[in-house]
Amino acid sequence: MTSLATMNYAMAATELMAPQKAPPAKRMPILKLLFGDMMSALLSLGAVGVIVSLLPAFRWAVTDAIWATDDPSVCRSGGACWAFIGAKLRFIMFGLYPPDQQWRPVVVMSLILLMILVSLTPALWGRKLALAWTGAVCAMLALMWGGFAGLPHVSTANWGGLPVTLLLALLSLGLGFPFAIFLALGRRSTLAIPRLLSIGLIETVRGLPLVGLLFVASILLPLLLPPGFDIDKLGRTLAALTIFSAAYLAEVIRGGLQAIPPGQKEAAKALGIPHWKAIQHIVLPQAIQKVIPPLTNTAIVMVKNTSLVMIVGVFDMLSAGRSAAMDPVWPAPYTEAYLFVGLIYFAICVGISYYARWLEIRVKAKDYR
């Protein structure tokens, strides 16, 4: 009854109300529309100033650039000499690797890209993927070395360019991550010896610059090895990078472990689950999910840290670009060489960052399909 009366009153009120005009549109001054308040105006003017200041760089890089030429002296006109990149591309990408065998590092880089694409889906993560990565890495190293099936042997002293950068980054992170897990668990252990050993190793490595570790691995390590036993320079460099990455990854993982409530392990113990199985299947997955951003940051730092190996004589991509720019035939195109190498590093690091962001969103949504 009440609802019927309400409906009748509403219908009557509708019939009695006169039609209303639309409210007048508010007009905003054009200056306020474009610039807003004083702070927004200053930021806008600053952005315009930055864009104007970049116009000469744009003309140098695009408008006045030399894109292709057979005469290096043409690059003295003042614009960017991108023709130098085309002429030295194979040297920058593959370093001193024999030119007639450079198809092998191309296959290695293709295999790395294929394995990365396969590993992007969390549903494929597991023991089979780890075995696949182990086999792929062994195949990459064997292909780079050669000495079998009619492939000539190529010493690691002749390896260089992008394959060395990618292999050092992947292997240092891949080998350092399991080591970091043990260090993080050891640092949180209630046993004195594992805890003290883990703390000592982590703090020692974190207290030393990477350049110092590289020099120790390159110069002092051969002196400490027994007679007749030697590790080549690339292997010693990889060992230093692995220890460095393990120490920093261990602290990141320790932060994730501290964020897990102790009730998780207590509940697993109450259910009769062994300690190590509870750590492996309950605690560690949750801890790693919580520290995806700092893990990504450490991975990006390690990719960029591979450029420091040039100090100890490893011919990575940055070393190859620098050596290519020293060719006296070309008019010192250092800027173009470093920009090209920097763009490759930028593409790798941005790819890692965007994938980690996607993975973080997917983990939060609990979608592993």
Side-chain angles (χ1 to χ4, degrees):
M1 186 69 180
T2 304
S3 60
L4 182 60
T6 304
M7 292 176 59
N8 293 334
Y9 175 78
M11 293 174 62
T14 305
E15 293 176 357
L16 295 175
M17 289 179 61
Q20 301 292 322
K21 293 183 179 181
K26 294 182 179 181
R27 294 185 179 181
M28 185 178 295
I30 185 66
L31 292 178
K32 186 173 181 59
L33 180 64
L34 294 177
F35 296 100
D37 56 9
M38 182 60 68
M39 181 59 68
S40 299
L42 293 176
L43 292 175
S44 300
L45 292 175
V48 171
V50 171
I51 293 173
V52 171
S53 65
L54 292 177
L55 289 178
F58 178 80
R59 288 197 297 269
W60 172 84
V62 179
T63 307
D64 300 334
I66 307 299
W67 294 95
T69 182
D70 295 330
D71 185 9
S73 62
V74 177
C75 290
R76 302 182 186 276
S77 59
C81 185
W82 300 120
F84 161 80
I85 300 299
K88 297 292 185 178
L89 181 61
R90 296 181 65 176
F91 182 80
I92 295 174
M93 298 298 288
F94 307 118
L96 300 176
Y97 210 86
D100 59 331
Q101 298 294 319
Q102 287 180 356
W103 62 270
R104 289 154 62 178
V106 172
V107 174
V108 168
M109 290 190 296
S110 302
L111 189 56
I112 291 174
L113 179 60
L114 177 62
M115 291 303 301
I116 290 175
L117 292 176
V118 171
S119 305
L120 293 180
T121 305
L124 299 178
W125 295 353
R127 186 175 300 177
K128 292 182 179 180
L129 183 61
L131 293 176
W133 264 108
T134 303
V137 169
C138 293
M140 296 174 200
L141 296 177
L143 190 59
M144 291 290 289
W145 261 309
F148 65 95
L151 296 176
H153 173 70
V154 179
S155 172
T156 56
N158 293 327
W159 295 14
L162 185 57
V164 169
T165 297
L166 294 177
L167 286 173
L168 286 177
L170 286 173
L171 291 177
S172 62
L173 289 170
L175 296 175
F177 191 78
F179 192 24
I181 292 176
F182 285 107
L183 286 176
L185 293 174
R187 183 158 190 170
R188 287 180 52 83
S189 175
T190 56
L191 301 177
I193 294 179
R195 185 176 68 254
L196 292 177
L197 289 177
S198 299
I199 292 174
L201 180 58
I202 292 173
E203 297 303 330
T204 301
V205 174
R206 292 175 67 209
L208 295 174
L210 178 57
V211 175
L213 287 177
L214 290 173
F215 275 115
V216 168
S218 179
I219 299 173
L220 295 182
L221 185 59
L223 301 177
L224 301 176
L225 295 175
F229 185 81
D230 188 23
I231 303 175
D232 62 15
K233 186 178 294 185
L234 187 63
R236 298 195 298 269
T237 302
L238 176 60
L241 289 174
T242 301
I243 296 174
F244 187 83
S245 66
Y248 279 84
L249 288 172
E251 285 298 280
V252 174
I253 296 173
R254 182 173 71 92
L257 292 173
Q258 291 180 169
I260 303 301
Q264 298 279 345
K265 290 190 291 186
E266 294 173 0
K269 185 177 180 180
L271 293 173
I273 300 176
H275 177 71
W276 284 107
K277 285 189 176 181
I279 294 294
Q280 179 181 358
H281 297 288
I282 298 175
V283 177
L284 271 179
Q286 296 182 73
I288 293 174
Q289 289 177 15
K290 292 181 179 296
V291 292
I292 290 178
L295 284 176
T296 304
N297 181 63
T298 306
I300 291 175
V301 169
M302 287 307 303
V303 170
K304 293 185 294 184
N305 280 343
T306 56
S307 61
L308 296 176
V309 299
M310 63 180 295
I311 297 174
V312 293
V314 176
F315 211 66
D316 70 315
M317 184 172 56
L318 183 60
S319 303
R322 181 184 179 186
S323 299
M326 297 175 65
D327 190 344
V329 176
W330 295 87
Y334 287 98
T335 305
E336 293 86 339
Y338 287 130
L339 278 176
F340 178 73
V341 174
L343 285 175
I344 295 178
Y345 276 108
F346 178 78
I348 295 173
C349 295
V350 167
I352 296 173
S353 178
Y354 273 94
Y355 172 70
R357 178 58 182 162
W358 171 84
L359 184 61
E360 186 180 2
I361 295 173
R362 189 167 185 178
V363 166
K364 286 181 179 179
K366 301 297 181 182
D367 182 12
Y368 296 95
R369 292 176 297 173

